[in-house]
Amino acid sequence: MNILFLNITLNWVFKLYKEYIYSIKEFIDKYYAHKSINIKIIHIEADDEIKIKRFMNNNCNNDCNNDCNNNCNNNCNNNCNNDCNNNCNNNCNNNCNNNCNNNCNNNCNNNCNNNCNNNCNNNCNNKDENENDIIFSKILEYDKIFYTGTIEMLNTLIKKLELSQSPISKLFFFNIEQMSHPSYYKMIRKIDNLINIVDYTEENIPFFKDIYKNTYLIPPYFNISNNISIDSKRIDILSLINNKYRETIISKIKVTKKQQICLLKNCYGDIRNNYYSKTKIYINIHCSEEHKTMEMIRIVNLIMNKVIVLTQPSICSDIIFLKKYLFICNDQDDFTFEIQNILNNYDLYYDKIYGDFNQDIYLNYLLTCYDKLINDLFE
């Protein structure tokens, strides 16, 4: 089975969930290899109007060949006529120059234009081949399409599929937004209820379950080394301050001068993971007051790195599989108290939370979630 993960989002947005998307491919490749599932991941910058236009209109060949052939014909005719006239005139006497030129030019132009146009078409087709990942017709070759991006673009994809008489059931929408945010939920409700929904967190699933035909929970997966130990923990407090709301909340939490605190803004991949592996406590602040869903893509990574997570409350934390690893703090005073209490007794807390930590428990949970999706893919 061939599956396309198609992402049409802004670059900075793609950075936020890129690892989640690639981790799904990694997980399927590792645990479902016997199913022969081939996944291709593509990202198109949402601001790249040219690529999106070519992708949706599938008009590369027409536009390219028209422009290319016009330029080619002009250059080819000029060069070809000059060469042909010289050769022809040398072989003909003065009396037949006119006839010879006419015949020679016609033959030469035909041969020259054919060769030139062939070269031009090949160049254009090669351009298509190099960029075939953004040509809509290629999408139809995939058995399933998992899409992330705007609802408007999703609806355009649906119309394209309908026009090509392809079943809508082959289309899956990857939701990476928080349904606790009113505007996000309102946006999602614009999706046709026949579309399959894939989501990253337990807290979003109730928003979809009774509305959409098929809803799948695919929690984040991070393959972290088991070598992380208490001895590697040198950063007392870590948090994210990439917006004013988070920065304001963090500034109100009291810490002592002796405590080493590290605040990140734009940090991804291995560099960020290196911080996680060395951190004792992470303070999880939502993006705004309207965001009330737990940031599980980040939190799962923290837990796998054996970080103690202090977090603001969320809309339904009781249904989160990893809830026992979360310390809920309702206000700044709660954060301050828990930080001091944990750091003063860190060895005790670390041993209590991660002393018997077993990644296999979470792995089995993931397999249960994935099994439902994988089985339905082959129905």
Side-chain angles (χ1 to χ4, degrees):
M1 174 175 286
N2 295 314
I3 298 177
L4 174 65
F5 286 1
L6 176 63
N7 305 271
I8 305 180
T9 58
L10 295 171
N11 282 335
W12 72 268
V13 175
F14 186 58
K15 281 184 179 181
L16 297 178
Y17 71 92
K18 179 180 178 180
E19 286 175 288
Y20 170 64
I21 294 293
Y22 276 88
S23 73
I24 295 173
K25 181 183 186 306
E26 179 185 352
F27 193 90
I28 291 175
D29 289 345
K30 184 174 183 178
Y31 295 102
Y32 296 91
H34 60 286
K35 291 286 190 178
S36 298
I37 300 174
N38 301 308
I39 298 176
K40 183 179 180 63
I41 300 175
I42 295 168
H43 173 241
I44 302 176
E45 166 63 48
D47 281 348
D48 195 331
E49 295 181 3
I50 295 175
K51 280 191 175 183
I52 292 177
K53 181 180 178 182
R54 287 186 61 233
F55 164 69
M56 297 311 300
N57 295 333
N58 194 30
N59 60 356
C60 172
N61 285 335
N62 293 334
D63 292 345
C64 179
N65 286 342
N66 288 338
D67 293 340
C68 186
N69 290 345
N70 288 335
N71 293 332
C72 183
N73 287 343
N74 291 333
N75 294 331
C76 184
N77 289 342
N78 291 334
N79 294 331
C80 187
N81 288 345
N82 290 335
D83 292 340
C84 178
N85 287 339
N86 291 334
N87 293 330
C88 182
N89 288 340
N90 289 335
N91 295 325
C92 296
N93 57 36
N94 291 334
N95 292 330
C96 72
N97 275 350
N98 290 335
N99 293 332
C100 181
N101 287 345
N102 289 335
N103 292 332
C104 184
N105 289 347
N106 289 335
N107 291 333
C108 177
N109 287 341
N110 289 335
N111 292 331
C112 181
N113 287 343
N114 286 337
N115 292 333
C116 188
N117 292 344
N118 286 337
N119 291 334
C120 182
N121 291 340
N122 288 336
N123 290 335
C124 186
N125 290 337
N126 287 337
K127 184 177 182 182
D128 270 358
E129 186 176 352
N130 293 334
E131 298 181 0
N132 61 19
D133 51 359
I134 59 167
I135 302 304
F136 180 81
S137 61
K138 298 293 180 180
I139 280 188
L140 302 179
E141 299 174 5
Y142 290 92
D143 300 300
K144 305 293 180 182
I145 304 159
F146 286 68
Y147 167 79
T148 306
T150 66
I151 305 304
E152 289 74 19
M153 185 63 71
L154 174 65
N155 289 331
T156 302
L157 284 173
I158 293 172
K159 290 178 183 178
K160 288 279 187 179
L161 289 173
E162 290 174 340
L163 289 173
S164 64
Q165 297 184 333
S166 295
I168 297 179
S169 59
K170 75 187 295 182
L171 186 59
F172 292 71
F173 179 74
F174 258 134
N175 177 56
I176 56 169
E177 300 291 0
Q178 297 189 12
M179 290 301 94
S180 58
H181 195 294
S183 65
Y184 293 154
Y185 180 67
K186 184 178 179 181
M187 174 189 70
I188 289 292
R189 288 305 308 275
K190 296 178 183 178
I191 298 176
D192 190 306
N193 60 11
L194 295 178
I195 298 298
N196 305 291
I197 303 292
V198 179
D199 203 285
Y200 69 98
T201 178
E202 295 92 339
E203 290 185 294
N204 278 342
I205 297 300
F207 288 90
F208 302 127
K209 203 161 188 179
D210 297 328
I211 300 173
Y212 294 93
K213 184 178 179 181
N214 294 308
T215 303
Y216 302 93
L217 171 64
I218 301 297
Y221 163 71
F222 291 91
N223 188 18
I224 304 298
S225 170
N226 288 322
N227 294 330
I228 295 174
S229 68
I230 192 171
D231 296 329
S232 64
K233 303 298 184 176
R234 297 191 294 274
I235 300 173
D236 292 322
I237 304 164
L238 183 72
S239 194
L240 181 68
I241 54 166
N242 60 347
N243 65 31
K244 191 65 178 177
Y245 175 76
R246 283 174 169 149
E247 190 173 357
T248 300
I249 297 294
I250 292 296
S251 68
K252 294 179 181 179
I253 297 173
K254 297 176 182 179
V255 296
T256 67
K257 293 181 179 180
K258 293 181 180 180
Q259 293 164 351
Q260 183 180 2
I261 183 168
C262 186
L263 303 176
L264 305 178
K265 286 192 174 181
N266 296 304
C267 190
Y268 306 95
D270 291 340
I271 297 175
R272 177 211 55 214
N273 290 342
N274 187 46
Y275 280 107
Y276 287 179
S277 67
K278 298 175 182 178
T279 295
K280 295 179 181 179
I281 295 174
Y282 184 89
I283 302 174
N284 186 62
I285 306 298
H286 300 315
C287 189
S288 74
E289 290 184 354
E290 292 185 297
H291 290 80
K292 292 179 171 58
T293 304
M294 209 65 77
E295 291 78 3
M296 291 309 297
I297 295 177
R298 180 182 305 118
I299 288 173
V300 170
N301 195 0
L302 288 162
I303 293 172
M304 295 302 142
N305 277 281
K306 300 180 181 178
V307 180
I308 297 175
V309 179
L310 307 185
T311 179
Q312 290 178 315
S314 61
I315 192 169
C316 199
S317 60
D318 286 344
I319 64 174
I320 295 175
F321 183 78
L322 296 173
K323 62 184 178 182
K324 76 173 187 176
Y325 296 99
L326 305 177
F327 285 72
I328 306 298
C329 299
N330 293 304
D331 54 33
Q332 288 86 344
D333 290 338
D334 280 356
F335 276 111
T336 300
F337 172 80
E338 292 294 353
I339 288 171
Q340 305 309 324
N341 189 32
I342 292 171
L343 289 179
N344 288 337
N345 304 279
Y346 181 68
D347 289 3
L348 179 65
Y349 273 95
Y350 182 89
D351 186 62
K352 181 180 178 180
I353 298 170
Y354 293 115
D356 60 350
F357 182 70
N358 187 351
Q359 287 192 31
D360 289 342
I361 296 175
Y362 185 63
L363 174 61
N364 290 332
Y365 173 63
L366 289 177
L367 288 169
T368 301
C369 296
Y370 272 84
D371 281 348
K372 180 178 185 296
L373 173 62
I374 299 299
N375 290 335
D376 286 359
L377 288 178
F378 285 90
E379 282 190 353

